[in-house]
Amino acid sequence: MDAWVRFSAQSQARERLCRAAQYACSLLGHALQKHGASPELQKQIRELESHLSLGRKLLRLGNSADALESAKRAVHLSDVVLRFCITVSHLNRALYFACDNVLWAGKSGLAPRVDQEKWAQRSFRYYLFSLIMNLSRDAYEIRLLMEQESSACSRRLKGSGGGAPGGIENAGPGGPGTPGGGLPHLALKLQLRVLLLARILRGHPPLLLDVVRNACDLFIPLDKLGLWRCGPGIVGLCGLVSSILSILTLICPWLRLKP
Amino acid sequence: MPSFRSPAPAAWRRLSNRHFRPPPEVREVPGRKARPPPRGRGDSICPAGDPATPWRTRDCAAGGTWPRLGVMDAFIRFTNQTQGRDRLFRATQYTCMLLRYLLEPKAGKENVVMKLKKLESSVSTGRKWFRLGNVVHAIQATQQSIHATALVPRLCLTLANLNRVVYFICDTILWVRSVGLASHVNKEKWRMWAARHYCCSLLLSLARDLYEISLQMKQATRDGAEREKSLPQDPPGYSVADEETEWLQSFLLLLFRSLRKHPPLLLDTVKNFCDILNPLDQLGIYKSNPGIIGLGGLVSSLAGIIIVAYPHMKLKMQ
């Protein structure tokens, strides 16, 4: 009980729960439609989903300020690539929340002349940019870690008395001793790369969580903008998975990728 | 209950700590206080005070300024808490109610009045999401209030929290109805039940506040009597009629002094008193106009905002 009280005292936690519920409703609605459930039940689920969506928009009022502050903080990072990626991502998030606030004003009747479609498209565009920046940042982190791991491996191989010349796990274009390997050689290298990637991600759960979350989230704006129509079922499932993962990072703060 | 605060392994800490530049050196300008180090999320806005007067901060007692946190920083820390956001929205809702009451009789303001009504209803609907799950909060508060030391606060607080539990249950049922999941629920009946239990819980909280005020006044009288013993006595030259006004004056002065010395008690009393106007109107016990209810709601929301922003201003249970 104490855990629920502490968890629900954060406004972000409640918003994430509502998001999880919204995408669960969307997934449920799609499943019910496919299996031919009664139209009344479908209507109820759709109504609940729209209530959740509007409620979430209200809960998110004021998140622009949070995103701007995070962007301000991110400007002090020492690494140039990280600084660029994270700052631009937060700025795009701030713009996404601003568009979202305009949509709320339109839906709640305060500004009835707001063009809902136009502002919705705008908000999804900013959301997409911010997700792309997040994924670039994740890719950069993975690349740094892979370089670290492979250099550590080659140092270990050299230290253990000779070993393979150059080290097969080296990220170079191919060992000096291998004459024109061709396809099997490339396949072996690819396999090793994938194994290294798997090992890195397994050893750094915050990074893995962030990658999966951003990848799942990416389907939502892609579908809404019409770039890659995956259907409401996939969108619902991806949204639900990413909401559950972000709730996990709220419950266990050490699972959050910092900075 | 498993602890969720496991320490991160060394490798992850390396991943997280390596990227920040040290902040630029702050040059000491003479006469200016240095900025305090940035706090983490979840820290209260104000530093802890000294134990003798726990609701005061050191800065306040010394007559100095509050620590200079950025306004954005403080706003974000405030809105990160569910209660903070909820109080802000509540203040907005009741401000709309008050403004609507003031602007309705005026001609040419129909558009503004309609917009205020829409804002009020959308904020009120949205606030329900903040109240979902508060049953657990109220049950926990009931468990805590059973451990109060004095009998009267223990009784009042426990019963008040039990009433709050029932209120939140009724509120959840009303939410289920408003979202469309259970259309056979009788809205009026459950609304009356919710108002009744909310009213009872506020009355019991007010009873507890009155008890605490009476304790403080007794304490103040005792202190005053001790001080008077050491001072020379005034010659008795007053009439019987003056005696009554004297009594009323000294009572009010004592009340004012006790409340001024204990802002948490004042805030809690004002909050409960302003809150009770709404259910009294809903139950038909004391019908007032939307203007009074809006003003009362706004004042109590502001008191609530102060309590969330400055946690030492919350009336603690002994």
Side-chain angles (χ1 to χ4, degrees):
Chain A
M1 213 163 34
D2 198 36
W4 163 254
V5 170
R6 261 186 287 127
F7 177 70
S8 64
Q10 304 173 62
S11 61
Q12 222 195 349
R14 277 195 197 235
E15 199 260 318
R16 293 284 137 174
L17 275 176
C18 287
R19 187 178 193 250
Q22 184 187 338
Y23 282 111
C25 283
S26 163
L27 186 62
L28 190 65
H30 175 75
L32 286 175
Q33 200 182 26
K34 260 177 72 175
H35 295 279
S38 72
E40 204 182 279
L41 184 63
Q42 285 185 42
K43 186 166 149 303
Q44 269 184 342
I45 299 283
R46 261 200 308 267
E47 212 182 297
L48 179 63
E49 194 191 330
S50 77
H51 273 115
L52 277 164
S53 165
L54 193 58
R56 264 184 71 215
K57 288 206 199 307
L58 181 82
L59 292 179
R60 283 197 299 229
L61 283 179
N63 275 8
S64 296
D66 197 8
L68 281 173
E69 275 293 299
S70 311
K72 229 169 66 172
R73 270 201 301 264
V75 166
H76 295 296
L77 289 169
S78 51
D79 191 309
V80 178
V81 177
L82 277 185
R83 200 189 314 165
F84 176 71
C85 286
I86 298 179
T87 312
V88 172
S89 157
H90 282 306
L91 285 174
N92 275 300
R93 259 181 67 225
L95 287 168
Y96 161 67
F97 285 128
C99 294
D100 200 55
N101 293 344
V102 171
L103 279 172
W104 172 80
K107 280 211 173 117
S108 63
L110 289 173
R113 284 193 304 257
V114 161
D115 186 357
Q116 297 271 327
E117 261 313 302
K118 191 173 83 168
W119 284 94
Q121 292 285 308
R122 258 187 212 164
S123 76
F124 281 121
R125 225 173 293 149
Y126 289 127
Y127 187 41
L128 181 67
F129 291 154
S130 113
L131 284 174
I132 290 174
M133 282 292 125
N134 284 344
L135 281 170
S136 325
R137 179 265 177 106
D138 290 333
Y140 179 70
E141 296 264 15
I142 289 176
R143 186 171 150 254
L144 282 182
L145 283 170
M146 280 175 85
E147 275 174 12
Q148 257 180 21
E149 276 289 320
S150 52
S151 63
C153 273
S154 56
R155 253 183 281 130
R156 251 182 281 138
L157 283 166
K158 279 193 198 135
S160 62
I168 294 178
E169 281 171 317
N170 209 337
T178 50
L183 215 56
H185 181 75
L186 274 171
L188 181 66
K189 265 187 49 178
L190 195 65
Q191 202 184 29
L192 285 168
R193 285 264 204 160
V194 168
L195 282 171
L196 185 62
L197 178 69
R199 196 163 81 177
I200 285 170
L201 287 178
R202 207 180 50 199
H204 292 92
L207 186 56
L208 173 65
L209 233 67
D210 203 53
V211 169
V212 174
R213 201 160 58 98
N214 289 325
C216 285
D217 272 337
L218 198 62
F219 287 102
I220 302 167
L222 285 179
D223 181 84
K224 295 276 160 60
L225 289 171
L227 296 168
W228 183 11
R229 294 224 177 264
C230 20
I234 305 260
V235 166
L237 181 67
C238 289
L240 182 61
V241 168
S242 83
S243 307
I244 291 175
L245 289 176
S246 56
I247 288 173
L248 218 71
T249 53
L250 283 171
I251 297 177
C252 314
W254 40 276
L255 278 177
R256 207 159 152 229
L257 187 64
K258 294 176 196 39
Chain B
M1 188 91 219
S3 155
F4 289 129
R5 294 182 197 284
S6 310
W12 308 0
R13 258 181 270 136
R14 272 205 305 276
L15 186 73
S16 60
N17 287 343
R18 68 200 148 130
H19 292 301
F20 273 107
R21 285 199 286 240
E25 287 297 315
V26 177
R27 272 179 301 125
E28 273 292 322
V29 179
R32 237 195 190 207
K33 257 202 268 193
R35 222 169 191 225
R39 294 160 191 271
R41 276 192 179 190
D43 289 356
S44 77
I45 288 178
C46 278
D50 101 86
T53 50
W55 45 267
R56 270 186 171 192
T57 65
R58 248 174 268 126
D59 281 345
C60 209
T65 53
W66 294 109
R68 253 180 247 121
L69 282 175
V71 175
M72 283 293 263
D73 222 3
F75 174 73
I76 284 168
R77 209 161 300 144
F78 180 77
T79 51
N80 271 337
Q81 301 176 65
T82 307
Q83 255 198 330
R85 264 191 213 219
D86 184 41
R87 297 284 151 99
L88 271 177
F89 286 139
R90 189 170 190 256
T92 314
Q93 183 186 338
Y94 283 107
T95 312
C96 289
M97 200 189 271
L98 179 64
L99 285 175
R100 234 179 356 121
Y101 174 74
L102 292 172
L103 290 177
E104 219 152 15
K106 296 210 169 103
K109 303 272 183 194
E110 288 90 12
N111 205 12
V112 179
V113 168
M114 195 187 60
K115 290 234 169 93
L116 284 171
K117 194 173 160 83
K118 286 206 174 120
L119 177 61
E120 188 192 328
S121 78
S122 65
V123 169
S124 154
T125 321
R127 270 186 64 222
K128 289 197 213 278
W129 297 105
F130 284 123
R131 288 203 297 261
L132 277 183
N134 273 5
V135 187
V136 180
H137 292 236
I139 293 176
Q140 201 196 39
T142 316
Q143 279 179 348
Q144 281 172 353
S145 57
I146 290 176
H147 298 298
T149 43
L151 176 68
V152 175
R154 195 186 325 157
L155 201 64
C156 289
L157 281 176
T158 312
L159 288 174
N161 283 321
L162 280 173
N163 274 295
R164 266 178 71 219
V165 170
V166 181
Y167 162 68
F168 281 126
I169 292 175
C170 298
D171 197 51
T172 309
I173 292 174
L174 282 169
W175 171 81
V176 168
R177 164 79 167 86
S178 74
V179 157
L181 286 175
S183 40
H184 54 270
V185 166
N186 185 355
K187 210 154 82 156
E188 271 315 307
K189 185 180 89 168
W190 284 99
R191 202 177 282 177
M192 279 297 137
W193 271 99
R196 209 170 295 154
H197 285 280
Y198 186 44
C199 193
C200 288
S201 95
L202 286 173
L203 282 171
L204 287 160
S205 305
L206 271 174
R208 181 260 181 128
D209 288 333
L210 288 172
Y211 172 77
E212 297 275 352
I213 291 176
S214 70
L215 276 184
Q216 294 298 331
M217 283 170 74
K218 266 192 224 154
Q219 179 73 30
T221 328
R222 249 178 281 147
D223 293 341
E226 275 177 23
R227 246 180 291 130
E228 264 185 33
K229 273 194 202 138
S230 49
L231 290 172
Q233 293 287 335
D234 280 332
Y238 50 85
S239 72
V240 176
D242 286 341
E243 201 179 297
E244 281 188 14
T245 47
E246 275 281 326
W247 180 86
L248 188 65
Q249 252 181 18
S250 62
F251 176 79
L252 287 172
L253 198 63
L254 195 62
L255 178 68
F256 173 70
R257 246 192 251 141
S258 322
L259 285 176
R260 201 181 59 176
K261 260 203 274 178
H262 291 269
L265 185 56
L266 172 68
L267 270 178
D268 200 58
T269 313
V270 164
K271 195 162 76 86
N272 288 329
F273 183 73
C274 291
D275 272 338
I276 209 164
L277 295 169
N278 196 1
L280 286 180
D281 180 80
Q282 275 185 332
L283 292 169
I285 298 173
Y286 177 61
K287 282 244 175 246
S288 48
N289 53 51
I292 304 242
I293 297 177
L295 184 64
L298 178 61
V299 169
S300 90
S301 307
L302 289 172
I305 286 172
I306 294 175
I307 292 175
V308 173
Y310 302 106
H312 52 273
M313 291 291 241
K314 195 176 156 96
L315 187 61
K316 300 270 187 316
M317 189 184 60
Q318 271 96 27

